[in-house]
Amino acid sequence: MNLQNKFILEVENFSLEKTLNCGQTFRFFKNEEHYIYPYKDSVLKLKQKKESLLEVEVYGEDLSKDEIKEIFGLNHDVRKINEKILRIAPNLEEPLLLSSGIRIMKMQPYEATISFIFSIQSQIPVIQKRLNKLSAIVGRKITIDGIDYYLFPKFEDLLTLTYKDIKSLNLGFREKFFLNLIKNYRSSDFEMLKGKTYEEKKKFLMSILGVGEKVSECILLFGYGELSAFPVDTWIIKGLKRFFNVEGSTKKLTEFGHKKFDSVSGYAQQYIYYFMRNFLGS
DNA sequence: TAACAGGCCACCG
DNA sequence: CGGTGGCCTGTT
């Protein structure tokens, strides 16, 4: 497949590896020295040279530098965000330093919705397998260096799936959530939300079968770029107890995060998550 | 092996 | 409402 574009971005406070591996996105691949990331109708081949240079090759549909920056959160003023987090919670200094370089990515809202519905009570390798299989079944692919990479299905492609296709994903109890989503929603539902407020988005997302407190916050954060979202999963539950000595329901803890971190909740959440996950096992 | 995994829904009080 | 039991399937 043809290389559409190639350029080098100057970056700071950015780690491609950490950003891809911190659980916000599931569909990326490593090929030798490069990371491969399918996005919409494009596949990106990426390599971080030194710390400050990101080499980007775009295959399939072309993407602008600004679009690339948005995908990897390079448009976020992380220095200012970190200052605010430390002002609010000085005891997050260690997690913040250890997670240095993580950016909040931006994916398509409906893709985020499907991804995080697939993620319910599941470990990352299983989630990746489901999403990759779904993409392979629909079969939109771009070949780079002799290897096929499948694009995530367009929403309308999902209507062409047979029940046998869907069964083969082994979604278990999540299957009814997925079936409901492709039967009763369209990509326009998710596009329309872009202009709405946080509360309106949240209300709509929570009304989707299978989308609860945690998943809706993930969609808001990673799908809509709402940096005040604060997804509470099991790692965050442990982290909030450790750093702030708070416990309670997911709903209560989500409110706690919103109130405490306001517009920087998303980054604070990522730092706590990354620290708990990678430096405190169990 | 039995328990649990990056939660949600339905049901109960 | 706020709090709990059961849940598909794949791992450990």
Side-chain angles (χ1 to χ4, degrees):
Chain A
M1 199 65 69
N2 289 338
L3 176 65
Q4 290 292 339
N5 209 339
K6 177 170 181 172
F7 42 78
I8 291 183
L9 295 175
E10 279 193 44
V11 295
E12 62 173 359
N13 221 320
F14 175 68
S15 163
L16 177 63
E17 201 230 330
K18 281 189 194 172
T19 297
L20 287 172
N21 281 295
C22 68
Q24 46 183 328
T25 186
F26 304 105
R27 297 201 66 237
F28 62 91
F29 309 92
K30 191 156 190 188
N31 180 9
E32 309 266 323
E33 299 288 287
H34 294 84
Y35 277 106
I36 309 290
Y37 183 69
Y39 177 82
K40 290 190 182 174
D41 298 323
S42 314
V43 173
L44 304 175
K45 182 175 170 184
L46 308 146
K47 181 176 181 179
Q48 187 159 16
K49 307 192 151 197
K50 302 183 190 173
E51 223 177 272
S52 60
L53 296 179
L54 180 66
E55 181 186 275
V56 183
E57 293 180 21
V58 184
Y59 294 81
E61 284 291 307
D62 199 8
L63 290 171
S64 70
K65 283 189 181 182
D66 283 344
E67 287 172 295
I68 306 283
K69 286 183 181 175
E70 188 180 30
I71 293 170
F72 294 101
L74 293 167
N75 54 334
H76 298 150
D77 189 346
V78 169
R79 181 179 301 183
K80 202 174 251 177
I81 289 170
N82 289 351
E83 281 174 11
K84 183 167 177 182
I85 290 174
L86 287 180
R87 224 166 30 239
I88 294 168
N91 62 340
L92 287 184
E93 185 174 8
E94 191 186 3
L96 189 149
L97 290 174
L98 288 169
S99 344
S100 170
I102 289 182
R103 299 278 182 150
I104 298 206
M105 296 181 61
K106 181 133 169 208
M107 51 201 296
Q108 302 182 87
Y110 81 90
E111 181 178 349
T113 305
I114 292 169
S115 299
F116 287 103
I117 282 178
F118 281 18
S119 83
I120 299 169
Q121 280 289 47
S122 304
Q123 299 179 29
I124 291 176
V126 177
I127 306 166
Q128 291 172 328
K129 197 171 164 189
R130 289 174 185 146
L131 291 168
N132 288 336
K133 188 156 190 184
L134 175 64
S135 304
I137 288 173
V138 171
R140 302 168 59 221
K141 70 179 175 184
I142 288 179
T143 306
I144 303 175
D145 303 328
I147 301 174
D148 292 337
Y149 296 101
Y150 292 95
L151 299 167
F152 194 80
K154 292 173 180 292
F155 200 100
E156 51 269 29
D157 290 336
L158 300 173
L159 297 172
T160 68
L161 295 172
T162 65
Y163 187 60
K164 197 178 167 189
D165 289 334
I166 293 170
K167 266 294 176 197
S168 74
L169 299 174
N170 285 342
L171 292 174
F173 65 80
R174 306 156 198 82
E175 186 179 289
K176 58 182 177 296
F177 303 154
F178 184 55
L179 286 171
N180 169 72
L181 186 75
I182 60 183
K183 183 174 177 217
N184 297 317
Y185 296 86
R186 293 296 173 265
S187 59
S188 58
D189 295 319
F190 292 91
E191 288 304 307
M192 215 165 358
L193 276 189
K194 286 182 177 172
K196 308 256 182 178
T197 66
Y198 185 98
E199 287 73 20
E200 289 170 322
K201 291 190 185 86
K202 173 94 173 181
K203 188 178 174 189
F204 176 84
L205 294 172
M206 288 283 285
S207 73
I208 300 173
L209 191 68
V211 177
E213 193 66 39
K214 188 263 182 181
V215 170
S216 65
E217 293 287 313
C218 284
I219 302 168
L220 284 162
L221 185 56
F222 306 124
Y224 289 101
E226 293 281 359
L227 297 185
S228 56
F230 191 80
V232 174
D233 60 23
T234 86
W235 298 101
I236 295 299
I237 290 173
K238 292 172 189 166
L240 291 180
K241 183 174 181 187
R242 175 189 177 90
F243 288 103
F244 306 107
N245 199 28
V246 291
E247 294 180 83
S249 65
T250 297
K251 189 179 163 74
K252 287 287 181 196
L253 293 176
T254 304
E255 285 173 17
F256 173 84
H258 286 163
K259 279 186 185 162
K260 188 157 191 73
F261 293 106
D262 190 47
S263 67
V264 295
S265 297
Y267 272 93
Q269 189 269 2
Q270 284 294 290
Y271 298 155
I272 297 169
Y273 172 83
Y274 190 81
F275 178 80
M276 296 305 292
R277 184 96 215 272
N278 294 295
F279 297 98
L280 281 189
S282 82

PDB file of all heavy atoms in Angstrom, chain A residues 227-243:
ATOM      1  N   LEU A 227     -11.077  16.069  29.137  1.00  0.00           N
ATOM      2  CA  LEU A 227      -9.995  15.830  30.084  1.00  0.00           C
ATOM      3  C   LEU A 227     -10.439  15.909  31.541  1.00  0.00           C
ATOM      4  O   LEU A 227      -9.653  15.672  32.451  1.00  0.00           O
ATOM      5  CB  LEU A 227      -8.845  16.817  29.845  1.00  0.00           C
ATOM      6  CG  LEU A 227      -8.162  16.698  28.477  1.00  0.00           C
ATOM      7  CD1 LEU A 227      -6.958  17.627  28.385  1.00  0.00           C
ATOM      8  CD2 LEU A 227      -7.739  15.263  28.188  1.00  0.00           C
ATOM      9  N   SER A 228     -11.696  16.237  31.763  1.00  0.00           N
ATOM     10  CA  SER A 228     -12.191  16.240  33.141  1.00  0.00           C
ATOM     11  C   SER A 228     -12.858  14.913  33.508  1.00  0.00           C
ATOM     12  O   SER A 228     -13.391  14.759  34.590  1.00  0.00           O
ATOM     13  CB  SER A 228     -13.174  17.393  33.353  1.00  0.00           C
ATOM     14  OG  SER A 228     -14.219  17.304  32.427  1.00  0.00           O
ATOM     15  N   ALA A 229     -12.791  13.942  32.588  1.00  0.00           N
ATOM     16  CA  ALA A 229     -13.341  12.625  32.910  1.00  0.00           C
ATOM     17  C   ALA A 229     -12.375  11.862  33.814  1.00  0.00           C
ATOM     18  O   ALA A 229     -11.166  12.089  33.766  1.00  0.00           O
ATOM     19  CB  ALA A 229     -13.596  11.835  31.630  1.00  0.00           C
ATOM     20  N   PHE A 230     -12.919  10.954  34.601  1.00  0.00           N
ATOM     21  CA  PHE A 230     -12.103  10.250  35.605  1.00  0.00           C
ATOM     22  C   PHE A 230     -12.590   8.807  35.741  1.00  0.00           C
ATOM     23  O   PHE A 230     -13.371   8.480  36.634  1.00  0.00           O
ATOM     24  CB  PHE A 230     -12.229  10.988  36.944  1.00  0.00           C
ATOM     25  CG  PHE A 230     -11.243  10.531  37.996  1.00  0.00           C
ATOM     26  CD1 PHE A 230      -9.936  10.987  37.994  1.00  0.00           C
ATOM     27  CD2 PHE A 230     -11.633   9.653  39.002  1.00  0.00           C
ATOM     28  CE1 PHE A 230      -9.035  10.592  38.969  1.00  0.00           C
ATOM     29  CE2 PHE A 230     -10.731   9.242  39.985  1.00  0.00           C
ATOM     30  CZ  PHE A 230      -9.431   9.721  39.970  1.00  0.00           C
ATOM     31  N   PRO A 231     -12.141   7.938  34.847  1.00  0.00           N
ATOM     32  CA  PRO A 231     -12.602   6.536  34.899  1.00  0.00           C
ATOM     33  C   PRO A 231     -12.064   5.820  36.138  1.00  0.00           C
ATOM     34  O   PRO A 231     -10.858   5.838  36.385  1.00  0.00           O
ATOM     35  CB  PRO A 231     -11.990   5.916  33.631  1.00  0.00           C
ATOM     36  CG  PRO A 231     -11.577   7.071  32.776  1.00  0.00           C
ATOM     37  CD  PRO A 231     -11.263   8.182  33.711  1.00  0.00           C
ATOM     38  N   VAL A 232     -12.957   5.207  36.875  1.00  0.00           N
ATOM     39  CA  VAL A 232     -12.555   4.480  38.093  1.00  0.00           C
ATOM     40  C   VAL A 232     -12.622   2.978  37.853  1.00  0.00           C
ATOM     41  O   VAL A 232     -13.700   2.400  37.735  1.00  0.00           O
ATOM     42  CB  VAL A 232     -13.467   4.867  39.275  1.00  0.00           C
ATOM     43  CG1 VAL A 232     -13.146   3.996  40.493  1.00  0.00           C
ATOM     44  CG2 VAL A 232     -13.280   6.336  39.630  1.00  0.00           C
ATOM     45  N   ASP A 233     -11.450   2.356  37.748  1.00  0.00           N
ATOM     46  CA  ASP A 233     -11.399   0.901  37.629  1.00  0.00           C
ATOM     47  C   ASP A 233     -10.755   0.345  38.893  1.00  0.00           C
ATOM     48  O   ASP A 233     -10.549   1.071  39.853  1.00  0.00           O
ATOM     49  CB  ASP A 233     -10.627   0.493  36.366  1.00  0.00           C
ATOM     50  CG  ASP A 233      -9.190   1.000  36.394  1.00  0.00           C
ATOM     51  OD1 ASP A 233      -8.656   1.264  37.484  1.00  0.00           O
ATOM     52  OD2 ASP A 233      -8.596   1.152  35.326  1.00  0.00           O
ATOM     53  N   THR A 234     -10.437  -0.936  38.856  1.00  0.00           N
ATOM     54  CA  THR A 234      -9.941  -1.535  40.099  1.00  0.00           C
ATOM     55  C   THR A 234      -8.602  -0.918  40.533  1.00  0.00           C
ATOM     56  O   THR A 234      -8.323  -0.829  41.719  1.00  0.00           O
ATOM     57  CB  THR A 234      -9.753  -3.056  39.931  1.00  0.00           C
ATOM     58  OG1 THR A 234      -8.482  -3.306  39.385  1.00  0.00           O
ATOM     59  CG2 THR A 234     -10.780  -3.656  39.037  1.00  0.00           C
ATOM     60  N   TRP A 235      -7.797  -0.501  39.569  1.00  0.00           N
ATOM     61  CA  TRP A 235      -6.497   0.096  39.911  1.00  0.00           C
ATOM     62  C   TRP A 235      -6.683   1.462  40.555  1.00  0.00           C
ATOM     63  O   TRP A 235      -5.961   1.822  41.496  1.00  0.00           O
ATOM     64  CB  TRP A 235      -5.617   0.202  38.668  1.00  0.00           C
ATOM     65  CG  TRP A 235      -5.320  -1.141  38.091  1.00  0.00           C
ATOM     66  CD1 TRP A 235      -5.925  -1.714  37.006  1.00  0.00           C
ATOM     67  CD2 TRP A 235      -4.395  -2.109  38.586  1.00  0.00           C
ATOM     68  NE1 TRP A 235      -5.432  -2.978  36.795  1.00  0.00           N
ATOM     69  CE2 TRP A 235      -4.477  -3.242  37.748  1.00  0.00           C
ATOM     70  CE3 TRP A 235      -3.492  -2.136  39.653  1.00  0.00           C
ATOM     71  CZ2 TRP A 235      -3.707  -4.377  37.947  1.00  0.00           C
ATOM     72  CZ3 TRP A 235      -2.721  -3.267  39.854  1.00  0.00           C
ATOM     73  CH2 TRP A 235      -2.836  -4.368  38.992  1.00  0.00           C
ATOM     74  N   ILE A 236      -7.631   2.195  40.040  1.00  0.00           N
ATOM     75  CA  ILE A 236      -7.891   3.526  40.600  1.00  0.00           C
ATOM     76  C   ILE A 236      -8.497   3.394  41.992  1.00  0.00           C
ATOM     77  O   ILE A 236      -8.188   4.191  42.892  1.00  0.00           O
ATOM     78  CB  ILE A 236      -8.837   4.322  39.667  1.00  0.00           C
ATOM     79  CG1 ILE A 236      -8.143   4.592  38.332  1.00  0.00           C
ATOM     80  CG2 ILE A 236      -9.254   5.634  40.312  1.00  0.00           C
ATOM     81  CD1 ILE A 236      -6.872   5.419  38.436  1.00  0.00           C
ATOM     82  N   ILE A 237      -9.315   2.377  42.184  1.00  0.00           N
ATOM     83  CA  ILE A 237      -9.874   2.150  43.520  1.00  0.00           C
ATOM     84  C   ILE A 237      -8.745   1.958  44.538  1.00  0.00           C
ATOM     85  O   ILE A 237      -8.735   2.570  45.606  1.00  0.00           O
ATOM     86  CB  ILE A 237     -10.807   0.919  43.502  1.00  0.00           C
ATOM     87  CG1 ILE A 237     -12.080   1.250  42.716  1.00  0.00           C
ATOM     88  CG2 ILE A 237     -11.165   0.487  44.929  1.00  0.00           C
ATOM     89  CD1 ILE A 237     -12.995   0.065  42.486  1.00  0.00           C
ATOM     90  N   LYS A 238      -7.757   1.131  44.152  1.00  0.00           N
ATOM     91  CA  LYS A 238      -6.609   0.921  45.038  1.00  0.00           C
ATOM     92  C   LYS A 238      -5.788   2.204  45.194  1.00  0.00           C
ATOM     93  O   LYS A 238      -5.311   2.516  46.283  1.00  0.00           O
ATOM     94  CB  LYS A 238      -5.713  -0.184  44.470  1.00  0.00           C
ATOM     95  CG  LYS A 238      -6.350  -1.562  44.488  1.00  0.00           C
ATOM     96  CD  LYS A 238      -5.478  -2.565  43.725  1.00  0.00           C
ATOM     97  CE  LYS A 238      -6.210  -3.893  43.554  1.00  0.00           C
ATOM     98  NZ  LYS A 238      -5.574  -4.758  42.559  1.00  0.00           N
ATOM     99  N   GLY A 239      -5.627   2.926  44.099  1.00  0.00           N
ATOM    100  CA  GLY A 239      -4.812   4.143  44.123  1.00  0.00           C
ATOM    101  C   GLY A 239      -5.428   5.237  44.980  1.00  0.00           C
ATOM    102  O   GLY A 239      -4.727   5.931  45.718  1.00  0.00           O
ATOM    103  N   LEU A 240      -6.741   5.379  44.895  1.00  0.00           N
ATOM    104  CA  LEU A 240      -7.400   6.427  45.677  1.00  0.00           C
ATOM    105  C   LEU A 240      -7.316   6.125  47.165  1.00  0.00           C
ATOM    106  O   LEU A 240      -7.220   7.027  47.993  1.00  0.00           O
ATOM    107  CB  LEU A 240      -8.867   6.586  45.240  1.00  0.00           C
ATOM    108  CG  LEU A 240      -9.059   7.160  43.838  1.00  0.00           C
ATOM    109  CD1 LEU A 240     -10.547   7.266  43.502  1.00  0.00           C
ATOM    110  CD2 LEU A 240      -8.399   8.529  43.706  1.00  0.00           C
ATOM    111  N   LYS A 241      -7.343   4.833  47.477  1.00  0.00           N
ATOM    112  CA  LYS A 241      -7.196   4.465  48.878  1.00  0.00           C
ATOM    113  C   LYS A 241      -5.785   4.778  49.358  1.00  0.00           C
ATOM    114  O   LYS A 241      -5.580   5.333  50.427  1.00  0.00           O
ATOM    115  CB  LYS A 241      -7.514   2.980  49.064  1.00  0.00           C
ATOM    116  CG  LYS A 241      -7.440   2.547  50.521  1.00  0.00           C
ATOM    117  CD  LYS A 241      -7.903   1.126  50.719  1.00  0.00           C
ATOM    118  CE  LYS A 241      -7.830   0.770  52.206  1.00  0.00           C
ATOM    119  NZ  LYS A 241      -8.114  -0.643  52.442  1.00  0.00           N
ATOM    120  N   ARG A 242      -4.826   4.443  48.508  1.00  0.00           N
ATOM    121  CA  ARG A 242      -3.430   4.654  48.883  1.00  0.00           C
ATOM    122  C   ARG A 242      -3.072   6.129  49.040  1.00  0.00           C
ATOM    123  O   ARG A 242      -2.454   6.537  50.018  1.00  0.00           O
ATOM    124  CB  ARG A 242      -2.530   4.027  47.820  1.00  0.00           C
ATOM    125  CG  ARG A 242      -1.053   4.285  48.039  1.00  0.00           C
ATOM    126  CD  ARG A 242      -0.239   3.816  46.838  1.00  0.00           C
ATOM    127  NE  ARG A 242       1.182   4.117  46.981  1.00  0.00           N
ATOM    128  CZ  ARG A 242       2.061   3.291  47.534  1.00  0.00           C
ATOM    129  NH1 ARG A 242       1.663   2.127  47.970  1.00  0.00           N
ATOM    130  NH2 ARG A 242       3.326   3.630  47.648  1.00  0.00           N
ATOM    131  N   PHE A 243      -3.472   6.922  48.076  1.00  0.00           N
ATOM    132  CA  PHE A 243      -3.021   8.315  48.076  1.00  0.00           C
ATOM    133  C   PHE A 243      -3.954   9.274  48.830  1.00  0.00           C
ATOM    134  O   PHE A 243      -3.523  10.309  49.324  1.00  0.00           O
ATOM    135  CB  PHE A 243      -2.847   8.814  46.640  1.00  0.00           C
ATOM    136  CG  PHE A 243      -1.662   8.214  45.946  1.00  0.00           C
ATOM    137  CD1 PHE A 243      -1.818   7.206  45.012  1.00  0.00           C
ATOM    138  CD2 PHE A 243      -0.374   8.643  46.264  1.00  0.00           C
ATOM    139  CE1 PHE A 243      -0.709   6.641  44.385  1.00  0.00           C
ATOM    140  CE2 PHE A 243       0.730   8.085  45.637  1.00  0.00           C
ATOM    141  CZ  PHE A 243       0.560   7.079  44.703  1.00  0.00           C
TER     142      PHE A 243
END
